[in-house]
Amino acid sequence: MRRAGPRRLRAQLDPRRWPLLLTVPLTVAALVAGVATVTGQAVLARMEADQGRHLAALGAAFLDGLATAVQPAAVRADVWEAFDALDRASGQYEALRPTLSVVVLPDGSVLASSSPRVLRTGAALPRSLSGPADQAIASGSPAIDERAGRAVVARVLLEGGVPVGRLVAKADIGALLAERDAVVRTLVLANIGIAALFAAAGALLVRRILLPTERLRQRLLEATQGRLPEPLDAQAGSGPEHLALVNAWNGAVAAIAERDLMAGRLAREEGRAQLGRLTAAMAHEVNNPLGGLMTAVDTLSEYGDRRDIREEAVGLLRRGLDDIRKVVRAGLSSWKTGPGEAPLAAQDFEDLRLLIRHEVSRRGLTLDWRNDLPDGVRVDRTLARQIALNLLLNAAAASPPQGVLGFRAQGLSQGGAVIEVSDVGTGLPAEAESLLADPDGPPPSGGGLGLWTAARLARSQGGRITREPTPRGTRLVAELPVPSHAKEVAHAS
């Protein structure tokens, strides 16, 4: 029980088990999100490249103007002239937003800076500036530190091809980075919104497309639960595929209804035919002793004063009336009890032996009867008798004169009953044998309704009828297990 929970959860989380109403919208949303992500990355890469080129152009323009102003001071190592040039340039490049400008001598010391309190003249250039400055000079583009929100630009000052110093400037690029972050947020929110919109639209569209299929699925589930299948109405807007499915379903419903109607009519006709045969058999069994009874009555009326003749006639009357009573009881026990009202017992099949006696004697057959069925078998009594009677009548009709008609009945180890009927006829026809494999199919066109009815009755009880190999003739075995509801009742009791 503990393992069943995680296993069921894994099965529910398996995308292959999700319904189409969920998988299709999620797939649409995933595709839209993927396209939006790729597009957003392309936009961000293009924006970052444009910002880099714009910043490089601003830095180059700033360094060009500032280098022209400070280069003479750097050649003469004039602190005040260099400081004056840096001070004038600090307010002229608002687009770059320089926060610190430094003139560095070839020995690495500071000649002048725009913030003397931060970098004094003669001090060494800090590594936080010297490293990015070297990187900027080597790459020819600004060295950007996104975490600190700054960029460092640098240039070597040359006089006649001889380095006279370096010009290093630090700029605030926080506004550019904030602009890029705003674009990123806008793209993410737009992607989420578009994906959600497409997912909702996909769900509604798929639901509309799959609505006829969903209705057909509901009808199939109802049919598997035992309800009569009902036809479907084609809705407006359905595609040709759905219309074909609906038409196919409606055709199947009509065919099933027609088949059930025909099967019911044939079953009623078969029942009437069986009733007629049983009535004829009972009439024959009753008429035989009636002749003897009438003879006994005539004998009593004429020789009733003689004791020996009177006792013989009364004995004949008793035996004849007893035979008539047995025939009547067998007929009553065959038809007065409804399906499922009583368990099966050995005596139920003994009554069938009496009922088919006329058919057996009329055809000159020998009845090999063995009834080992225990009492109280929890199998539908009436249906089991009908199955056995159909098989016996079919076997009697297929047996040649002077043939042997076999009957065996016994119980199953797990409960239920096994009925075996055999004959020495020409064998089971192929069409009749197909009824055993598919008892739910249409009835045979050339007769064999008894076997068809017996197979359907056995199938309705969860059993089956099979043909067992035999050297001559046909041997049919009907296995009738205990129904599941009967097992539950027995277990509860």
Side-chain angles (χ1 to χ4, degrees):
M1 295 297 293
R2 293 181 179 178
R3 296 181 180 178
R7 187 179 305 168
R8 187 181 300 110
L9 180 61
R10 286 194 300 270
Q12 293 175 353
L13 295 179
D14 188 356
R16 294 173 295 180
R17 297 179 178 268
W18 293 353
L20 289 178
L21 290 177
L22 179 62
T23 55
V24 172
L26 288 180
T27 303
V28 172
L31 291 176
V32 171
V35 172
T37 301
V38 173
T39 305
Q41 291 295 329
V43 171
L44 291 177
R46 180 63 180 271
M47 182 180 178
E48 186 175 359
D50 290 343
Q51 284 184 341
R53 286 193 299 269
H54 178 61
L55 184 60
L58 288 177
F62 173 72
L63 292 176
D64 288 342
L66 188 57
T68 303
V70 302
Q71 186 166 348
V75 172
R76 296 190 297 269
D78 189 339
V79 176
W80 294 106
E81 184 179 356
F83 176 76
D84 182 61
L86 293 176
D87 186 55
R88 287 196 311 269
S90 61
Q92 296 178 0
Y93 294 91
E94 292 297 331
L96 187 62
R97 295 183 181 180
T99 58
L100 180 63
S101 301
V102 184
V103 179
V104 183
L105 294 175
D107 61 357
S109 62
V110 175
L111 176 63
S113 70
S114 60
S115 299
R117 294 181 180 180
V118 178
L119 283 177
R120 294 178 298 176
T121 300
L125 189 66
R127 293 185 60 85
S128 59
L129 283 177
S130 62
D134 295 338
Q135 179 182 352
I137 292 172
S139 63
S141 61
I144 299 175
D145 185 358
E146 294 186 1
R147 184 174 300 178
R150 71 178 185 182
V152 176
V153 293
R155 178 177 294 180
V156 178
L157 300 176
L158 299 174
E159 180 66 26
V162 178
V164 296
R166 286 189 300 172
L167 183 59
V168 180
K170 181 173 64 174
D172 183 10
I173 61 171
L176 295 176
L177 297 179
E179 181 182 358
R180 189 175 66 181
D181 293 340
V183 172
V184 172
R185 287 193 297 271
T186 302
L187 285 175
V188 171
L189 293 177
N191 290 344
I192 293 175
I194 293 174
L197 178 62
F198 272 82
L204 294 176
L205 182 61
V206 171
R207 182 177 181 85
R208 181 177 180 83
I209 293 175
L210 295 180
L211 184 59
T213 306
E214 178 66 19
R215 294 170 60 234
L216 179 59
R217 187 181 70 87
Q218 291 292 337
R219 289 291 188 272
L220 289 173
L221 289 177
E222 293 173 358
T224 57
Q225 294 171 359
R227 296 181 57 181
L228 291 177
E230 298 179 359
L232 289 171
D233 296 330
Q235 291 185 341
S238 298
E241 295 84 0
H242 291 149
L243 288 177
L245 284 176
V246 171
N247 292 334
W249 168 256
N250 292 340
V253 171
I256 291 173
E258 183 179 359
R259 188 194 70 177
D260 291 343
L261 181 62
M262 181 177 61
R265 183 170 62 251
L266 291 175
R268 288 192 296 271
E269 293 177 358
E270 177 68 13
R272 294 191 187 100
Q274 290 183 15
L275 182 60
R277 289 196 295 269
L278 287 176
T279 302
M282 292 182 63
H284 182 273
E285 294 297 331
V286 171
N287 189 54
N288 283 340
L290 279 178
L293 294 179
M294 293 299 298
T295 301
V297 171
D298 292 339
T299 302
L300 286 175
S301 62
E302 185 173 356
Y303 303 104
D305 54 341
R306 296 177 54 178
R307 179 181 178 84
D308 54 341
I309 295 179
R310 184 173 65 251
E311 290 179 353
E312 182 180 358
V314 170
L316 180 61
L317 285 174
R318 290 182 181 277
R319 288 190 298 274
L321 291 175
D322 186 63
D323 287 343
I324 293 175
R325 182 178 62 181
K326 289 180 180 179
V327 172
V328 172
R329 282 181 177 178
L332 289 176
S333 63
S334 297
W335 302 105
K336 73 178 181 180
T337 305
E341 293 184 4
L344 183 65
Q347 184 59 39
D348 297 319
F349 288 151
E350 293 299 326
D351 294 338
L352 297 181
R353 183 180 184 180
L354 182 62
L355 289 177
I356 66 169
R357 186 173 63 182
H358 167 67
E359 189 72 13
V360 170
S361 61
R362 185 177 69 85
R363 291 181 174 272
L365 303 177
T366 301
L367 183 60
D368 182 10
W369 189 273
R370 181 177 175 182
N371 186 1
D372 297 329
L373 188 72
D375 291 337
V377 178
R378 304 187 69 83
V379 173
D380 191 301
R381 173 176 179 265
T382 302
L383 295 184
R385 287 165 57 88
Q386 291 180 8
I387 293 171
L389 183 59
N390 275 285
L391 295 180
L392 285 170
L393 292 176
N394 277 6
S399 297
Q402 310 304 321
V404 178
L405 176 63
F407 177 84
R408 299 287 185 274
Q410 59 184 358
L412 288 171
S413 58
Q414 300 85 4
V418 176
I419 304 169
E420 178 183 326
V421 177
S422 60
D423 61 64
V424 291
T426 58
L428 193 65
E431 184 179 8
E433 189 168 0
S434 65
L435 298 176
L436 303 179
D438 185 20
D440 293 332
S445 57
L449 292 179
L451 182 58
W452 179 70
T453 303
R456 287 174 63 89
L457 291 177
R459 178 72 171 269
S460 68
Q461 297 301 300
R464 61 175 182 170
I465 299 178
T466 57
R467 182 180 68 87
E468 298 295 333
T470 182
R472 181 184 177 188
T474 304
R475 182 170 62 181
L476 298 178
V477 177
E479 296 183 6
L480 303 178
V482 178
S484 58
H485 63 86
K487 293 181 179 177
E488 295 174 358
V489 171
H491 180 71
S493 61

